[in-house]
């Protein structure tokens, strides 16, 4: 008897559980868009090169076009639809809006999800290719425009809104850091 090529998976997306049958070859991107109607995540190159489909898996950035839906079972998936708190935009979303960090808007959901993951990675001390000193005794480097450009380099913008995107990410990082410092210990 031939092994089955499909399974029922339960995906935890934006705090809600969805159970659906999927072919084992179905990407997370296709499950989100075509099966669950979560169309905020965009299909760009479908090869993991443009970042339009970036989501967060357990808080880390992932291009959903290269992630199989069956491999995402049991993980916390955050799409652009789960970033805002009701009608209150996340500081990253608000900064993109305030500083015009979008033009056509196609890449914006992936840019925002990537920025969320990148800000967290930076706060945790993850180095980038442009981080000068990565020794164990060094402090987290400043989040300069050069750091932001390098860390966001996996997300392409056809309109060329990069200057505004970098400014939006810098502002959002300051806001997120300030809000985290104000939380009670």
């Amino acid at each position: 008897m031939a092994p089955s090529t499909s399974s029922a998976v339960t995906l935890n997306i934006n705090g809600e559980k969805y159970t659906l049958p999927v072919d084992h070859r179905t990407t997370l991107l296709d499950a989100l868009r075509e099966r669950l109607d979560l169309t905020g995540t965009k299909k760009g190159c479908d090869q993991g090169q443009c970042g339009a489909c970036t989501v967060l898996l357990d808080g880390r950035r992932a291009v959903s076009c290269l992630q199989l839906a069956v491999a995402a079972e049991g993980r916390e998936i955050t799409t652009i639809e789960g970033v805002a708190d009701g009608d209150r935009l996340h500081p990253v979303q608000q900064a993109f809006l305030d500083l015009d960090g979008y033009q056509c808007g196609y890449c914006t959901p992936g840019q925002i999800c990537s920025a969320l993951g990148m800000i967290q990675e930076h706060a945790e001390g993850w180095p980038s290719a442009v981080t000068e000193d990565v020794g164990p005794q060094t402090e987290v480097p400043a989040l300069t425009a050069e750091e932001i450009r390098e860390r966001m380099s996996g997300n392409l913008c056809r309109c060329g809104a990069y200057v505004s995107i970098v400014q939006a990410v810098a502002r959002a990082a300051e806001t997120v850091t300030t809000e985290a410092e104000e939380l009670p210990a």
Side-chain angles (χ1 to χ4, degrees):
M1 182 172 181
S4 175
T5 60
S6 64
S7 299
V9 296
T10 300
L11 300 175
N12 188 2
I13 304 167
N14 303 325
E16 293 186 38
K17 293 196 183 298
Y18 299 86
T19 301
L20 64 153
V22 295
D23 182 288
H24 292 162
R25 299 166 293 182
T26 302
T27 64
L28 178 58
L29 173 62
D30 288 338
L32 291 169
R33 291 185 57 79
E34 297 171 15
R35 304 294 306 284
L36 299 172
D37 204 28
L38 293 169
T39 57
T41 304
K42 304 302 184 205
K43 185 177 272 199
C45 67
D46 214 19
Q47 298 176 1
Q49 297 178 359
C50 73
C53 67
T54 303
V55 298
L56 300 173
L57 286 178
D58 297 329
R60 300 287 179 221
R61 300 183 278 178
V63 284
S64 60
C65 71
L66 297 181
Q67 176 74 38
L68 294 176
V70 294
E73 187 167 31
R75 299 181 72 185
E76 184 68 35
I77 303 162
T78 304
T79 67
I80 192 66
E81 291 90 349
V83 173
D85 183 11
D87 289 337
R88 184 175 161 249
L89 295 179
H90 186 281
V92 173
Q93 291 173 304
Q94 190 63 55
F96 267 72
L97 184 63
D98 292 345
L99 296 169
D100 203 23
Y102 59 90
Q103 285 185 14
C104 79
Y106 195 83
C107 72
T108 306
Q111 296 275 0
I112 289 171
C113 285
S114 188
L116 288 166
M118 186 234 35
I119 290 168
Q120 184 63 37
E121 291 165 10
H122 176 262
E124 292 174 2
W126 291 32
S128 78
V130 298
T131 304
E132 287 189 30
D133 189 355
V134 295
Q137 298 85 298
T138 60
E139 292 191 23
V140 176
L143 193 55
T144 63
E146 182 181 29
E147 279 282 343
I148 293 169
R149 281 192 298 274
E150 171 61 29
R151 291 169 185 269
M152 294 290 292
S153 65
N155 292 80
L156 303 180
C157 173
R158 297 184 283 199
C159 301
Y162 296 113
V163 172
S164 297
I165 291 168
V166 170
Q167 291 171 348
V169 172
R171 178 183 289 177
E174 288 175 14
T175 303
V176 169
T177 303
T178 302
E179 287 178 0
E181 290 171 354
E182 292 173 356
L183 293 174

